[in-house]
Amino acid sequence: MLDTGLRIEPDECGYLMKRLTECLVDVLRVAESRGGRLPAPNPLEPEAERVLEDKSLEAT
């Protein structure tokens, strides 16, 4: 618990948590949307190998 010297009521904390959750859902939605529009990596480029390896590790 943070000791900021400010008293936060339980209903205020609940409201804050709901709004923060909504913000994080929006951030995830935007990130997935933008990531989905990125071009597929070219397997002939050295950097693409690392990206493809990272994706295969995430799938496991």
Side-chain angles (χ1 to χ4, degrees), residues 39-58:
N42 182 348
L44 300 177
E45 295 178 6
E47 179 65 20
E49 289 180 21
R50 186 181 63 77
V51 171
L52 293 173
E53 287 172 2
D54 291 346
K55 285 190 177 187
S56 67
L57 291 175
E58 289 175 4

Side-chain angles (χ1 to χ4, degrees), residues 1 5 22 35 43 47:
M1 182 169 186
E22 289 172 358
E47 179 65 20

Side-chain angles (χ1 to χ4, degrees), residues 22-38:
E22 289 172 358
C23 290
L24 290 174
V25 167
D26 289 344
V27 167
L28 179 61
R29 180 183 49 80
V30 169
E32 288 176 340
S33 173
R34 290 184 180 178
R37 288 183 270 153
L38 291 173

